[in-house]
Amino acid sequence: MSAHRKDSGYPTTNSNGSSSSTTNNNNNQNGDSPTMQTMVQQQQQDAAFAQSMGYVREFRSQAAAYHQLKTEESLVHLQRSIALLGTKVAPHCYAAGPGNVELSKFFVELHALMSSSLDDDGDALWACVSLLQHCSRNLDARQNIVQKYCFVPLLSNLLKRTTRPERVQRLLLLLQDLTYGIRISWEEPYLVVLLEHLVDLVHSVEECDANTTDVDSSHAQLALSILINLCYKNFVVLFLFLRSVNISNFSRRIQNYGLLAYKMLIILTEDVHALEQRELHTFLRTAFAGMEDCLKQWHVPQLRHIVDILLDAQCHPGLHRAMLTHTHFCEDIEKLLNQIEARQQMDDANEDARKHQQYCMQLIFQLIGYVLELSQNNECISLDAIMTRLYEQVCNWLDSELCGVTAIELLTSLLRLGKRAAITQLIAREPAQIVELINSAVRHNTKPAQVTATLRLLLTLLNESKTEKLVLSKISDSYFDKILSATLSLLPQMLSAQTLAPTEVEKAIFGLLLLINFASIAKKAYFDKCCTLLELPQLQYALARAMLSGNEQLVSAALQIAQFEHFPKAAVAKYVSSISDNSNANATPTSSNEQADQWHNLSAILKCHRTLIDKEMAQRVNALIESIGETLRRNELHSAPVSQVIELYNHRIDSLNCATHNLQQRLEQASHQLSNITQLTNVQNAELERFQTKNFELLISQERLQTQCKDLKTQATRLKENLSNLLKSMAETSEQLQTNERRLAVKQSEIAGLQKDCEELRNNLSVKSEELSKLEALRKENSTRIEKLKESVNAYELNIKDKLRTIEERSTELAKTHKALEEQREARKKFEDLVSVLETQLQEKKEQIENLESEQREMEDVRKNILSLMESKKPRRKQ
């Protein structure tokens, strides 16, 4: 498998990821210190968890009451408690820690209720199903539900018994979510029934194609998705599936299901159904579209399933070839980045949502890193067009607790395989992110994996000319002491695989490799330090562990360190030999009596040697205690030699270290024995179950065979009696047969006459049938004419109704117009009277005007007369 694959389990940390820096800034702006804010948040979480535990205890008490009473009232109280758990308790509260017994008892009680106590058609059982779906939204709780509490067999049996379509839909959705990434190592009894039922659901759509509904199609798609989850990376289930299903028929049935069909056919390998390159390219496009849908809801299990299939492409040669020739990676990854940016703008205030977001980003970063490796020496694949966007997106998640390691590794891949000049220029222009990574690597709360990823990034940056000065200026001599402090703090005699974890080995090796690269650039400043550190047994042991780790990158780093001129080859080889001997001794324990005797003799010799050494040490310790005690009694503690006190404390520390080392070894042996015993008990339980089921089947078959044997005996006696009766009846009926033969001859002659009559009747029947067909044709014509007449009559009736309706409307309008006409007539009469009055008044006015005009004429005549008289009386001028 490829080296890009990481651990597929879910960490149990609670982190806010990339939003932590924003939260700290807001806290500082509000005037609250981060420590105070953290304490307040912790108090709130403790209060919420205590409240949720109260609801859990209430559910357990109600479940116990229902087990005892089995009454309607207790069932109602139980349903109310289940509803409160589904609405009042957040999903992250169901993530049971190692010492949380309450939640473990809760899941056990819920399993017992759903398996036997509740009715299949009752609302309480389906409330439990809804509660289980609510709990599975948390990834840690989902893992416990599947692996620890084994709810999948229970839901499988419930699915087999359920008939209502909407409830089948709910169970299929829940099983689809729970089976993403499921691991099944042996053929469990429920698998046969579950696989058969899921295959029947897939086949049911094709068998009733004319009556297929959307519900049936949805059930078939969900069933196919569950089959894919069960068969993927589970050889036992895949082998059982291949044995119990007609693969060629099944492959033809699922070809119309798009991405699901491609997944299933890829799992079934090319031997069963060979996919063309065109179909595989279509699968890649649909897979990226499916990842976009997962990012819309931060659906971690489904996204992990798709990414795992793409990362495992090397196991499928056809898919690997299709990925090497796929030319749309840049476009597809750009769509994923667009979806991530659109989703980040939404408010993800929920803690589970933030964790799911970081898990999704981790998977996307792994996929992009794998695509970058495919692009190496491949002209078909290029991500240079989106290199700047990738760098910006990666920088947003470098300080995340869940996906920070993957983001740093992707940044290293971008520098190593991508458009190198653009990335180094961006880092040299804005080095704040790299400086923050360098500072965080020496903090105590930083994980070793993140420190290792940071060191590998620094090694890559150190090889670039634009960023070499940045790395050299930000790292000092004390930086390497802090990186190697965890390894150097161990005592040489305490070095083992338990005291020095593999992550600490990786951190030490890459830190040492970075120091050697610094020494190659600045030899005066770092060469002596490299020589000094390589002489230390802790780092020599770490180098030996790296050589035997099996990790390609770690072994490569150790071999690069081995090229240093003062590399301690003999000491490292000695540690490699001892580690190999210990691993071989642990891998192949002795079982013969001779080896046991040798081990017993050797342990006895070592015990005697240890008693001698213990006596000498005890005498020395007693002497030290007496001398220090005398100085205390004389109140002269200030004059006591410090070397004696230091020697006494050193002896005490060594004894405690040896005791802890022995206890650790005993714990390792006990855990190893416990794991072996649990595996043995699991195998024996599985065999016992299989033998019990086989025994039960044999008992049933034995009873069935006994009853069949009894039935066969009774049938044999009945057959003998029937045979004797038949012989008697044959003798009696022989005479009757002779008479019947004579009667038969007579009847045959009668039959011949009747056949002639039958032929005549047939001829008549054919003539009558022709006449009947003609009459039928006439009847059809008449019926069509009648239908047309009925349609015309209906049309006429409709027209008559419409006309009657218009007549009624017009009659009402006519009545209204008559009323208006009468009103207008009355008004006209009033107007005529008014006009007559006005005419009389006008006549009078005319007469007055005429009188005034006559008077005016008379006045004018008078005036003229007066003027003429006045002119006549004027004296004349003398000429």
Side-chain angles (χ1 to χ4, degrees):
M1 209 55 64
S2 69
H4 308 280
R5 300 298 310 277
K6 303 296 179 186
D7 187 11
S8 61
Y10 301 111
T12 58
T13 56
N14 293 327
S15 170
N16 296 339
S18 62
S19 62
S20 61
S21 59
T22 308
T23 306
N24 292 334
N25 292 334
N26 294 333
N27 294 336
N28 294 332
Q29 291 175 1
N30 295 332
D32 297 333
S33 63
T35 307
M36 183 64 69
Q37 188 71 16
T38 305
M39 292 175 62
V40 172
Q41 290 178 357
Q42 187 65 34
Q43 290 176 359
Q44 292 176 354
Q45 290 177 1
D46 294 342
F49 188 76
Q51 186 179 6
S52 64
M53 289 301 102
Y55 287 118
V56 167
R57 285 189 287 271
E58 176 67 19
F59 165 77
R60 289 181 55 211
S61 63
Q62 296 297 337
Y66 176 73
H67 280 306
Q68 292 179 356
L69 302 176
K70 297 287 180 130
T71 60
E72 289 293 331
E73 184 179 0
S74 61
L75 183 61
V76 169
H77 288 301
L78 180 62
Q79 289 180 355
R80 178 180 175 277
S81 179
I82 294 170
L84 289 174
L85 286 172
T87 55
K88 297 293 185 180
V89 181
H92 66 85
C93 294
Y94 291 101
N100 197 329
V101 183
E102 291 289 338
L103 284 175
S104 300
K105 291 181 179 179
F106 159 72
F107 281 112
V108 171
E109 193 67 37
L110 183 63
H111 192 285
L113 273 176
M114 295 178 66
S115 59
S116 60
S117 300
L118 298 176
D119 188 11
D120 290 348
D121 296 329
D123 295 334
L125 178 62
W126 297 100
C128 291
V129 172
S130 300
L131 176 60
L132 196 63
Q133 192 168 10
H134 176 71
C135 297
S136 65
R137 290 172 186 166
N138 181 268
L139 298 177
D140 299 329
R142 174 183 173 276
Q143 188 178 10
N144 291 331
I145 287 169
V146 175
Q147 296 180 358
K148 191 174 180 180
Y149 304 111
C150 301
F151 275 90
V152 174
L154 171 63
L155 296 173
S156 304
N157 295 326
L158 183 59
L159 176 65
K160 183 68 176 177
R161 301 194 305 266
T162 306
T163 56
R164 290 175 58 178
E166 65 275 9
R167 290 181 172 177
V168 173
Q169 180 85 3
R170 289 174 61 185
L171 286 175
L172 288 173
L173 285 171
L174 182 56
L175 278 172
Q176 181 194 29
D177 185 55
L178 292 178
T179 52
Y180 281 121
I182 191 172
R183 292 292 171 264
I184 301 173
S185 58
W186 61 287
E187 189 175 318
E188 301 182 31
Y190 76 94
L191 288 173
V192 179
V193 179
L194 178 59
L195 291 178
E196 182 181 359
H197 187 66
L198 293 175
V199 172
D200 290 339
L201 287 176
V202 174
H203 285 292
S204 63
V205 177
E206 294 293 336
E207 290 173 357
C208 53
D209 194 16
N211 299 322
T212 299
T213 61
D214 294 336
V215 176
D216 295 331
S217 179
S218 176
H219 289 177
Q221 290 180 1
L222 291 171
L224 181 58
S225 179
I226 297 169
L227 283 172
I228 292 168
N229 297 339
L230 292 173
C231 294
Y232 182 61
K233 290 187 177 180
N234 294 317
F235 177 75
V236 175
V237 184
L238 182 60
F239 185 67
L240 177 62
F241 180 75
L242 293 173
R243 281 186 298 162
S244 58
V245 178
N246 187 352
I247 299 300
S248 59
N249 187 16
F250 182 78
S251 301
R252 288 194 300 271
R253 291 285 176 90
I254 65 173
Q255 285 182 356
N256 296 324
Y257 287 107
L259 179 62
L260 295 175
Y262 288 124
K263 283 184 183 179
M264 194 70 201
L265 294 175
I266 287 171
I267 292 171
L268 294 177
T269 69
E270 290 184 344
D271 297 332
V272 178
H273 183 89
L275 291 171
E276 299 178 358
Q277 288 293 306
R278 174 180 53 81
E279 294 176 330
L280 290 171
H281 284 299
T282 306
F283 162 71
L284 291 175
R285 299 306 299 270
T286 53
F288 275 95
M291 285 190 279
E292 286 187 54
D293 295 334
C294 295
L295 291 175
K296 291 178 182 177
Q297 300 177 351
W298 302 127
H299 198 295
V300 179
Q302 186 176 359
L303 180 63
R304 185 183 299 277
H305 186 70
I306 298 173
V307 172
D308 284 349
I309 290 177
L310 295 180
L311 294 181
D312 291 337
Q314 293 181 354
C315 300
H316 192 281
L319 181 59
H320 186 61
R321 288 194 298 270
M323 291 187 73
L324 289 174
T325 57
H326 188 61
T327 58
H328 299 283
F329 275 124
C330 186
E331 179 184 352
D332 294 333
I333 293 175
E334 189 174 9
K335 290 180 180 179
L336 293 180
L337 294 178
N338 293 334
Q339 182 60 47
I340 290 169
E341 291 175 357
R343 191 69 176 87
Q344 280 179 347
Q345 293 176 0
M346 301 175 65
D347 185 15
D348 292 330
N350 190 5
E351 182 180 357
D352 283 336
R354 290 193 297 269
K355 289 177 67 176
H356 293 182
Q357 180 184 12
Q358 294 179 61
Y359 284 130
C360 289
M361 295 307 302
Q362 180 184 12
L363 294 169
I364 296 298
F365 290 156
Q366 289 179 6
L367 179 61
I368 295 173
Y370 182 63
V371 173
L372 283 171
E373 290 213 351
L374 292 177
S375 67
Q376 191 174 11
N377 300 325
N378 188 358
E379 296 179 356
C380 296
I381 303 174
S382 176
L383 301 181
D384 292 343
I386 58 172
M387 199 61 64
T388 305
R389 289 192 64 186
L390 284 175
Y391 173 73
E392 293 174 354
Q393 192 63 244
V394 166
C395 288
N396 293 333
W397 298 95
L398 290 176
D399 57 347
S400 172
E401 187 172 355
L402 299 181
C403 64
V405 176
T406 314
I408 298 170
E409 290 176 351
L410 179 58
L411 182 56
T412 307
S413 300
L414 290 175
L415 287 167
R416 188 168 50 89
L417 303 172
K419 196 173 181 181
R420 187 176 303 175
I423 302 299
T424 53
Q425 187 175 359
L426 290 172
I427 293 175
R429 189 184 306 165
E430 296 180 359
Q433 295 285 347
I434 304 301
V435 174
E436 179 61 27
L437 281 178
I438 293 172
N439 295 329
S440 64
V442 294
R443 293 174 188 157
H444 296 289
N445 57 352
T446 306
K447 293 182 178 179
Q450 188 167 357
V451 177
T452 304
T454 304
L455 293 172
R456 291 180 58 199
L457 175 62
L458 294 176
L459 285 168
T460 306
L461 291 173
L462 194 62
N463 295 326
E464 299 294 330
S465 59
K466 294 182 180 180
T467 55
E468 179 182 357
K469 292 182 181 179
L470 171 66
V471 178
L472 290 173
S473 62
K474 298 299 179 182
I475 294 178
S476 61
D477 190 2
S478 62
Y479 185 83
F480 296 100
D481 295 333
K482 295 177 182 178
I483 292 293
L484 302 172
S485 60
T487 305
L488 297 177
S489 62
L490 296 174
L491 295 176
Q493 62 270 22
M494 296 296 293
L495 294 173
S496 66
Q498 288 73 33
T499 56
L500 189 62
T503 54
E504 293 292 341
V505 172
E506 292 181 1
K507 186 173 74 170
I509 295 301
F510 283 105
L512 188 58
L513 180 60
L514 182 63
L515 178 60
I516 290 174
N517 286 334
F518 269 56
S520 64
I521 298 171
K523 191 171 184 179
K524 291 182 179 180
Y526 295 100
F527 184 79
D528 294 336
K529 189 176 185 64
C530 289
C531 297
T532 304
L533 289 176
L534 286 173
E535 294 298 327
L536 296 176
Q538 293 91 338
L539 290 180
Q540 293 172 359
Y541 177 79
L543 286 167
R545 285 274 301 277
M547 294 286 187
L548 299 172
S549 64
N551 188 345
E552 181 181 354
Q553 297 174 352
L554 191 58
V555 173
S556 176
L559 292 176
Q560 291 180 27
I561 296 172
Q563 296 175 2
F564 187 67
E565 52 185 338
H566 292 286
F567 182 77
K569 298 179 181 179
V572 174
K574 185 178 179 181
Y575 279 113
V576 169
S577 177
S578 64
I579 293 171
S580 300
D581 293 339
N582 290 331
S583 61
N584 293 329
N586 293 327
T588 58
T590 59
S591 59
S592 63
N593 294 326
E594 183 180 358
Q595 289 176 344
D597 293 338
Q598 290 178 358
W599 172 251
H600 179 71
N601 295 332
L602 181 62
S603 63
I605 292 169
L606 291 175
K607 187 175 180 180
C608 295
H609 182 65
R610 193 184 305 114
T611 53
L612 293 174
I613 295 173
D614 290 342
K615 288 180 180 178
E616 294 177 358
M617 290 297 298
Q619 293 175 0
R620 175 61 181 166
V621 170
N622 291 328
L624 289 173
I625 292 172
E626 288 178 358
S627 64
I628 294 171
E630 290 178 356
T631 55
L632 283 173
R633 285 192 293 272
R634 294 195 302 269
N635 291 326
E636 296 177 356
L637 186 61
H638 60 280
S639 62
V642 180
S643 60
Q644 293 181 357
V645 178
I646 293 174
E647 185 179 0
L648 183 61
Y649 276 106
N650 285 332
H651 171 72
R652 184 61 177 167
I653 290 169
D654 291 336
S655 62
L656 290 175
N657 287 332
C658 293
T660 53
H661 181 64
N662 294 329
L663 289 174
Q664 286 179 354
Q665 289 182 347
R666 290 176 64 186
L667 285 173
E668 288 172 5
Q669 293 174 0
S671 63
H672 183 67
Q673 292 177 0
L674 183 61
S675 62
N676 292 332
I677 290 170
T678 51
Q679 291 176 0
L680 183 61
T681 52
N682 289 330
V683 173
Q684 290 177 351
N685 289 330
E687 291 179 353
L688 181 61
E689 276 188 25
R690 195 179 44 159
F691 287 140
Q692 286 177 351
T693 53
K694 190 69 176 177
N695 189 17
F696 183 69
E697 291 175 358
L698 290 173
L699 289 174
I700 293 173
S701 61
Q702 182 182 1
E703 292 177 357
R704 187 175 67 250
L705 290 173
Q706 288 177 356
T707 53
Q708 288 177 359
C709 185
K710 290 180 181 178
D711 293 338
L712 289 173
K713 287 180 180 179
T714 54
Q715 288 177 7
T717 54
R718 288 176 184 174
L719 287 173
K720 289 180 180 178
E721 293 175 357
N722 292 331
L723 182 61
S724 61
N725 294 328
L726 286 172
L727 291 173
K728 292 178 182 178
S729 61
M730 285 176 63
E732 293 174 355
T733 56
S734 60
E735 296 177 357
Q736 294 179 1
L737 287 173
Q738 293 176 359
T739 58
N740 288 331
E741 286 178 355
R742 289 192 294 270
R743 290 176 183 175
L744 182 62
V746 176
K747 294 293 182 182
Q748 286 178 352
S749 61
E750 293 177 356
I751 287 169
L754 291 172
Q755 284 178 351
K756 292 179 181 179
D757 296 336
C758 183
E759 290 294 331
E760 293 177 356
L761 291 172
R762 283 178 181 173
N763 294 326
N764 294 329
L765 180 62
S766 63
V767 174
K768 295 294 183 182
S769 62
E770 291 177 357
E771 292 178 356
L772 181 62
S773 62
K774 292 179 182 179
L775 291 173
E776 286 289 334
L778 291 172
R779 185 181 64 80
K780 289 181 179 179
E781 291 177 358
N782 292 328
S783 63
T784 54
R785 290 177 63 189
I786 289 168
E787 291 294 331
K788 291 179 180 179
L789 290 172
K790 285 181 179 179
E791 291 176 357
S792 61
V793 168
N794 291 329
Y796 285 136
E797 288 179 353
L798 292 173
N799 289 330
I800 290 168
K801 289 179 180 178
D802 293 336
K803 289 179 179 179
L804 288 173
R805 194 181 299 109
T806 54
I807 288 168
E808 290 177 357
E809 292 176 356
R810 289 179 180 178
S811 62
T812 54
E813 290 177 357
L814 184 60
K816 291 179 181 179
T817 53
H818 278 302
K819 288 182 181 179
L821 185 60
E822 289 296 332
E823 292 176 355
Q824 288 177 0
R825 283 176 181 173
E826 292 178 357
R828 187 170 65 81
K829 287 180 182 180
K830 292 179 181 179
F831 283 124
E832 286 177 355
D833 295 337
L834 182 61
V835 167
S836 62
V837 173
L838 292 174
E839 284 179 353
T840 54
Q841 290 179 0
L842 184 60
Q843 187 67 31
E844 289 177 356
K845 294 291 183 181
K846 281 183 180 181
E847 290 176 357
Q848 289 178 3
I849 290 168
E850 288 176 356
N851 293 328
L852 290 171
E853 285 179 353
S854 62
E855 288 179 0
Q856 187 177 5
R857 283 194 297 272
E858 289 177 358
M859 290 295 291
E860 188 68 28
D861 293 338
V862 172
R863 189 179 64 81
K864 288 178 181 181
N865 291 330
I866 293 170
L867 288 173
S868 64
L869 288 174
M870 288 175 68
E871 288 179 359
S872 65
K873 288 182 178 182
K874 284 181 179 181
R876 295 181 181 177
R877 291 181 181 182
K878 292 181 179 182
Q879 295 181 353

